[in-house]
Amino acid sequence: MKIGILTYHHVINDGAVLQTLGHVYTLRELFPEATIEVIDYRHATIERIERREAFKALIKLKKGAISKIKKYYNFKRFVNDLLPLSKEHCQTDDTAKAVAFINRQHYDYVIVGSDEVWKILDRKYARQFPNIYWLPETLTAKRIASAASANGSNPKLLEKKDIQEKVKTIVEGFEAIAVRDQYTFDFIHRLGVSTPLYQVPDPTFGVDWKADGVKEKLQKVGVDFSRKRFALNLSSNNPEFAKASEQIQQYAKQHNIQLVGIGQYNKYCELNFSDVLNSLEWATCYQYFDFCVTDRFHSTIFSIKNHIPFLVIESNKKYPTAHKGKIVDLLSKMDKLAYHQFYDDSIDFKEKIDHLLQKYQSDNFTDIIDHLKKQFRTHLLNSIKG
């Protein structure tokens, strides 16, 4: 049996490559006799934009520009070295060419997901619907959606009858449709498809992540293990997050805490790095911090999986409709929305952190983690008939 995984494995984002590895590692364990490949398809426009963005910061002499370029090249190297990529490579925006490429690989199953692979946008440089990530009917392999998400879509586009009819026509032929969030579930459910439809967690919950030498790398770049340490994956370029970060900096000074930026540059941090750790090391580095503040989905997940208290700060401006995003969806299912906060000028974030540090001592995430791991693995076992 040969299984191909189609996802955003190539974008410069630790969460994207880790959810890809979540599928790879879980499938290898569940189906040891199968050939598991990541389909090395890359959207040509996205590849070009990411390369341009990496160098644009240098041209504009922005802080962290060199680090951004180093991360770009280190990330590409990591993806090429670690992921079991298909021997053949395809880079195009043409869906028909992408279909022909995938069919030449002779997969028994093609799995699309995780990530926002079903996001529908009409922006100039977006992946235009219907793209290859919808797995068109012309694919010869059996098709499975695994933790696919339409989060971040233009909601007006999801209401268009022609788009709804096209989506229904495509996904009716799937073996199973497992989506990552309620928003995507509701969208597909409204179409009245007959294919089995259900929700599953992000693939990163399916794996117990390990990496060697992470503490030594952190020490080498200046992380101080003689003090308490807070990780921030929160950009100070956002005015609201800058105000929150300033309060967190005040809290850190009062309690002799080292603030460390572990992804996005934050001027209120004592130390920033983004190019020091590869994606596997980044997934496990959270265990070496006493608290995490973030607006990112996978930073939230790896705080949970590494058993450290956390606070998610998001902007209400990001969500103009009733849908409040994938992090709210995740924490709602866990009944842990206390760890999420939409920014407001009236909030005392120092007080919020104190409260969460105390609350975390009595909260149990272990059973939640175990349940989500089992749920993800059960979905793959039930969807693939080896």
Side-chain angles (χ1 to χ4, degrees), residues 225-236:
F225 282 84
S226 68
R227 302 156 62 192
K228 286 190 173 181
R229 300 159 303 283
F230 280 14
L232 268 67
N233 194 356
L234 193 72
S235 173
S236 57

Side-chain angles (χ1 to χ4, degrees), residues 333-344:
K333 291 170 182 172
M334 297 179 175
D335 193 25
K336 300 296 184 185
L337 273 177
Y339 294 88
H340 182 280
Q341 180 67 61
F342 283 113
Y343 180 83
D344 188 290

Side-chain angles (χ1 to χ4, degrees), residues 43 52 68 78 160 186 242:
H43 191 270
R52 185 186 69 193
K68 193 169 184 178
F78 178 80
K160 293 184 70 172
D186 291 344

Side-chain angles (χ1 to χ4, degrees), residues 52 61 118 142 193 238 310 325 356:
R52 185 186 69 193
L61 301 177
W118 282 357
K142 294 178 181 179
V193 299
N238 179 304
F310 62 95
L356 291 177

Side-chain angles (χ1 to χ4, degrees), residues 108-315:
D108 296 291
Y109 288 88
V110 172
I111 293 175
V112 64
S114 166
D115 225 321
E116 296 174 355
V117 289
W118 282 357
K119 179 162 60 178
I120 299 178
L121 297 171
D122 54 2
R123 293 200 298 258
K124 183 179 179 181
Y125 296 116
R127 301 170 179 89
Q128 299 301 308
F129 175 83
N131 54 59
I132 189 60
Y133 295 99
W134 285 91
L135 301 189
E137 312 95 302
T138 46
L139 283 172
T140 55
K142 294 178 181 179
R143 296 169 291 158
I144 295 172
S146 183
S149 176
N151 183 73
S153 295
N154 180 336
K156 293 181 180 178
L157 294 178
L158 298 190
E159 295 302 320
K160 293 184 70 172
K161 291 298 181 185
D162 60 330
I163 287 179
Q164 291 180 357
E165 289 171 4
K166 183 61 178 175
V167 169
K168 183 177 180 180
T169 299
I170 294 172
V171 302
E172 275 285 8
F174 276 52
E175 298 292 306
I177 304 171
V179 299
R180 197 173 66 177
D181 49 70
Q182 188 68 42
Y183 182 72
T184 310
F185 180 91
D186 291 344
F187 170 60
I188 301 296
H189 186 261
R190 285 196 301 269
L191 304 181
V193 299
S194 58
T195 306
L197 170 66
Y198 47 95
Q199 293 186 57
V200 293
D202 189 85
T204 52
F205 280 109
V207 176
D208 298 323
W209 301 95
K210 296 177 182 178
D212 296 327
V214 176
K215 184 175 181 179
E216 290 75 16
K217 280 194 172 184
L218 294 176
Q219 287 175 315
K220 190 173 181 179
V221 296
V223 176
D224 188 350
F225 282 84
S226 68
R227 302 156 62 192
K228 286 190 173 181
R229 300 159 303 283
F230 280 14
L232 268 67
N233 194 356
L234 193 72
S235 173
S236 57
N237 292 328
N238 179 304
E240 292 181 335
F241 296 167
K243 291 177 183 177
S245 297
E246 188 173 14
Q247 285 195 47
I248 296 165
Q249 185 190 55
Q250 293 168 4
Y251 182 93
K253 288 179 178 178
Q254 291 169 6
H255 296 84
N256 189 29
I257 294 168
Q258 185 183 35
L259 291 188
V260 181
I262 62 169
Q264 304 172 81
Y265 178 80
N266 191 309
K267 67 181 181 180
Y268 295 97
C269 286
E270 187 177 317
L271 172 68
N272 279 279
F273 62 82
S274 63
D275 61 325
V276 173
L277 305 177
N278 65 36
S279 297
L280 274 177
E281 293 165 342
W282 180 82
T284 60
C285 82
Y286 289 79
Q287 65 187 290
Y288 298 110
F289 293 93
D290 300 285
F291 197 88
C292 177
V293 184
T294 188
D295 69 323
R296 296 304 172 99
F297 182 64
H298 282 101
S299 274
T300 304
I301 289 176
F302 288 115
S303 295
I304 293 168
K305 286 182 66 64
N306 284 277
H307 299 280
I308 67 163
F310 62 95
L311 170 61
V312 177
I313 304 174
E314 291 196 276
S315 174

